[in-house]
Amino acid sequence: MKWLHKDLLDVSQLSKSEVMSIFETAGRFQELQERPVKKVPTLKGRSVILFFAEPSTRTKTSFDVAGKRLSADTFSLAKSSSSLTKGETLKDTALTLQAMAPDAIVIRHWCSGAARFLANRLDCAIINAGDGRHAHPTQALLDSFTLHQEWGDLAGKTILILGDIAHSRVARSNVILLNKLGAKVRLCAPRTLLPHGVKHWPVKVYSDLNEASKGVDAVMCLRLQLERQKDGLLPDLREYSRTFGLGQRHIDLANPDVKIMHPGPMNRGVEIASDLADCADSLVLDQVSSGVVTRMALLFLYMTRKGEE
């Protein structure tokens, strides 16, 4: 498939056939993970700036590993080491980065729309690694790729997204992508952790985790964003864990071989029982592995594209 997109801002930009093309490319890179020398010269001589204005372990490292395995030169820039701390605007930071002629910028920023802001001003590829509450397209792609590796077709499968939906860009992008791939999506959260306007989303919303768990094929737990709970959205963590923490009794209500997922980092014993995170049907570490090959596929497609969007 000829790749036409210059930037990845959210999964809503992608057609189903383009998503499958990403999966196919990621699948080809998976074989590389098992070689003694995990490197190919595909992007030799090209450069990627990892511009993370918010903390990140998994996503940033995953992109760094992905770029290096394709022989691209990767350069990291964090807020604490950038001129953003000196009052420089995002526009000026971006134009400064562009003057260094990178082939792609991977950006994580606390402001929704930051990736689009850069995409509208810079010539290089912009890949959104999470912007505010808006979107996290590469997490959604790696989540669905992980399930695709397990099931093949996702059409008709029922997937429950559990937890702090209101603050989650992961949930927003996953709802869009899972629907695009034909899955049925359920959400379960306390009323205070559901986003405004959720009744218009293509999902079923539950407030009872027992009901939400019945007959599901996979559960995606979300991290309870403790740093964002200062507004008194929850009575206390113990109550949250008792009511909305995923436990074995919920798994017993799901379909056999239900898959358990979490984008990390996990609050074990809060949103998920620790033994479930490590059980045979947990895909948590598979998601991490999928993240590398999915991001390799994205860097390859966006940095070698030809043609106009």
Side-chain angles (χ1 to χ4, degrees):
M1 172 182 281
K2 185 178 180 181
W3 198 258
L4 297 177
H5 299 291
K6 168 183 167 289
D7 311 296
L8 176 62
L9 306 180
D10 197 2
V11 289
S12 56
Q13 293 173 283
L14 303 172
S15 67
K16 183 176 178 180
S17 62
E18 288 170 333
V19 172
M20 298 314 295
S21 181
I22 292 170
F23 288 178
E24 182 184 344
T25 307
R28 291 203 299 270
F29 284 131
Q30 215 160 26
E31 180 265 337
L32 184 66
Q33 304 267 72
E34 298 168 5
R35 293 186 195 172
V37 178
K38 302 175 178 61
K39 197 165 189 174
V40 291
T42 310
L43 296 180
K44 187 174 182 179
R46 308 203 184 206
S47 55
V48 184
I49 292 178
L50 307 176
F51 179 16
F52 279 66
E54 276 191 331
S56 169
T57 299
R58 287 162 184 76
T59 305
K60 185 177 179 182
T61 305
S62 183
F63 267 112
D64 198 15
V65 171
K68 286 182 166 64
R69 288 196 173 158
L70 295 173
S71 298
D73 297 313
T74 63
F75 305 91
S76 294
L77 176 65
K79 182 190 175 188
S80 58
S81 58
S82 78
S83 292
L84 289 175
T85 58
K86 301 176 182 176
E88 186 175 65
T89 65
L90 178 59
K91 178 182 176 182
D92 286 336
T93 300
L95 292 175
T96 300
L97 294 177
Q98 177 168 263
M100 300 176 190
D103 296 286
I105 294 177
V106 178
I107 180 171
R108 170 169 289 187
H109 200 278
W110 63 86
C111 286
S112 298
R116 182 176 295 280
F117 181 85
L118 263 58
N120 290 341
R121 287 162 176 78
L122 305 189
D123 297 328
C124 66
I126 302 297
I127 296 179
N128 185 3
D131 61 332
R133 298 184 187 182
H134 170 233
H136 196 340
T138 68
Q139 181 69 46
L141 285 164
L142 78 86
D143 288 341
S144 284
F145 176 73
T146 303
L147 291 173
H148 177 74
Q149 293 291 101
E150 288 290 319
W151 298 333
D153 195 356
L154 273 63
K157 297 290 187 181
T158 301
I159 298 166
L160 169 64
I161 302 177
L162 168 66
D164 186 355
I165 313 290
H167 298 98
S168 178
R169 54 197 173 208
V170 173
R172 284 170 172 78
S173 289
N174 262 312
V175 166
I176 295 170
L177 184 56
L178 291 170
N179 273 280
K180 196 182 293 276
L181 298 177
K184 292 174 279 190
V185 182
R186 299 177 183 179
L187 302 181
C188 184
R191 189 181 300 272
T192 52
L193 293 183
L194 287 170
H196 180 70
V198 70
K199 64 182 179 182
H200 301 299
W201 292 19
V203 297
K204 282 188 175 180
V205 180
Y206 294 79
S207 56
D208 183 331
L209 182 51
N210 289 323
E211 287 299 315
S213 301
K214 290 179 179 174
V216 299
D217 298 293
V219 182
M220 290 184 182
C221 292
L222 299 176
R223 181 175 74 91
L224 183 63
Q225 300 189 32
L226 301 174
E227 68 276 20
R228 304 187 201 267
Q229 304 302 327
K230 299 173 184 174
D231 297 331
L233 298 176
L234 296 173
D236 61 60
L237 286 184
R238 184 175 298 178
E239 176 63 23
Y240 178 85
S241 177
R242 188 163 47 238
T243 311
F244 291 97
L246 186 70
Q248 186 59 48
R249 67 185 187 281
H250 307 115
I251 296 304
D252 292 341
L253 295 169
N255 281 339
D257 302 322
V258 58
K259 302 304 176 189
I260 299 163
M261 307 176 78
H262 195 302
M266 285 185 280
N267 297 306
R268 289 176 180 257
V270 178
E271 66 255 9
I272 184 170
S274 187
D275 56 339
L276 288 183
D278 303 323
C279 74
D281 287 316
S282 169
L283 299 180
V284 172
L285 294 180
D286 299 84
Q287 290 172 268
V288 178
S289 298
S290 294
V292 174
V293 294
T294 302
R295 287 164 177 138
M296 288 174 74
L298 293 170
L299 291 176
F300 170 73
L301 290 169
Y302 282 84
M303 293 173 70
T304 62
R305 78 182 185 97
K306 295 177 181 176
E308 298 297 323
E309 195 167 358

